[in-house]
Amino acid sequence: MYRHILVKYGKDILNSENFKGTGMHIQHGNMSVREHCINVAQVSLAISIKLGIKCNTEDLVRGALLHDYFLYDWHNKDMIKPHRLHGFFHPGRALRNAKREYHLTKRQEDIIRKHMWPLTVVPPMCREAWIVTAADKYCSLMETLYIHEGKINSRRKKGRKTRIAQ
């Protein structure tokens, strides 16, 4: 629904090889990190527009697209860089990765660094970060419960019901 706004402000991110590569990693349920970030950006826009919350749309979109830019599959066991406590540490990793590739505003940095509040302890400092934080929680819940389904190993609803019934 808000795809044209995502393209307007995030075309370079959406077309980057690293961002496209996040489509190979599961985030929640069977949703890829790429799909999740796009969903969070769209839900963030919906929250802002439908609730009439004035904010910097460019910062909102770019921060939402990059909020989980950690560039690894956190489900894989990695003995060199263990992904235990992923929820606590991935915002810092995402911010470092994003800074390597993009010029970020202070708002965009705040969005990426604090989207996992309250795990990040320090709360968001701008309304854009609060919006992305709320959108991320909503999307994560919907994806984990398979209410919003992704394209990776997509399970048919009929197949899930059969498995549960057994």
Side-chain angles (χ1 to χ4, degrees):
M1 182 183 339
Y2 299 106
R3 186 74 179 179
H4 66 285
I5 300 173
L6 296 186
V7 171
K8 178 179 179 179
Y9 294 117
K11 186 176 184 178
D12 60 328
I13 297 168
L14 293 166
N15 290 328
S16 80
E17 290 306 313
N18 277 337
F19 189 77
K20 287 179 185 177
T22 64
M24 302 295 287
H25 305 303
I26 293 282
Q27 179 65 331
H28 310 106
N30 62 359
M31 187 74 63
S32 73
V33 175
R34 181 178 186 276
E35 291 172 307
H36 169 75
C37 290
I38 291 170
N39 288 342
V40 170
Q42 290 178 331
V43 170
S44 295
L45 286 167
I47 290 169
S48 171
I49 292 166
K50 291 182 181 192
L51 296 180
I53 301 170
K54 293 182 182 185
C55 63
N56 183 307
T57 304
E58 182 174 4
D59 285 344
L60 182 74
V61 167
R62 293 181 72 79
L65 288 174
L66 294 169
H67 81 278
D68 278 343
Y69 202 58
F70 43 83
L71 305 177
Y72 59 83
D73 187 343
W74 64 275
H75 299 89
N76 290 343
K77 294 187 191 284
D78 182 348
M79 292 304 145
I80 298 167
K81 289 184 178 180
H83 303 310
R84 293 173 303 166
L85 303 176
H86 168 78
F88 291 93
F89 295 111
H90 83 268
R93 291 176 180 151
L95 181 58
R96 280 191 301 279
N97 291 334
K99 280 180 155 182
R100 282 186 205 127
E101 293 184 47
Y102 305 100
H103 173 269
L104 301 177
T105 66
K106 293 296 178 196
R107 275 193 182 104
Q108 291 168 20
E109 288 182 18
D110 195 55
I111 292 167
I112 298 166
R113 182 183 293 118
K114 301 189 184 149
H115 77 274
M116 286 300 290
W117 185 83
L119 296 181
T120 56
V121 183
V122 178
M125 300 305 287
C126 62
R127 61 179 66 119
E128 293 84 356
W130 280 108
I131 291 169
V132 171
T133 298
D136 183 46
K137 304 294 183 261
Y138 170 78
C139 289
S140 298
L141 176 65
M142 301 303 273
E143 294 161 10
T144 300
L145 297 177
Y146 292 96
I147 294 170
H148 288 167
E149 294 209 35
K151 295 176 184 166
I152 295 182
N153 300 324
S154 186
R155 301 176 198 162
R156 300 284 176 240
K157 291 182 183 193
K158 186 169 66 174
R160 264 202 330 272
K161 286 179 185 172
T162 304
R163 218 174 313 113
I164 292 169
Q166 292 175 353

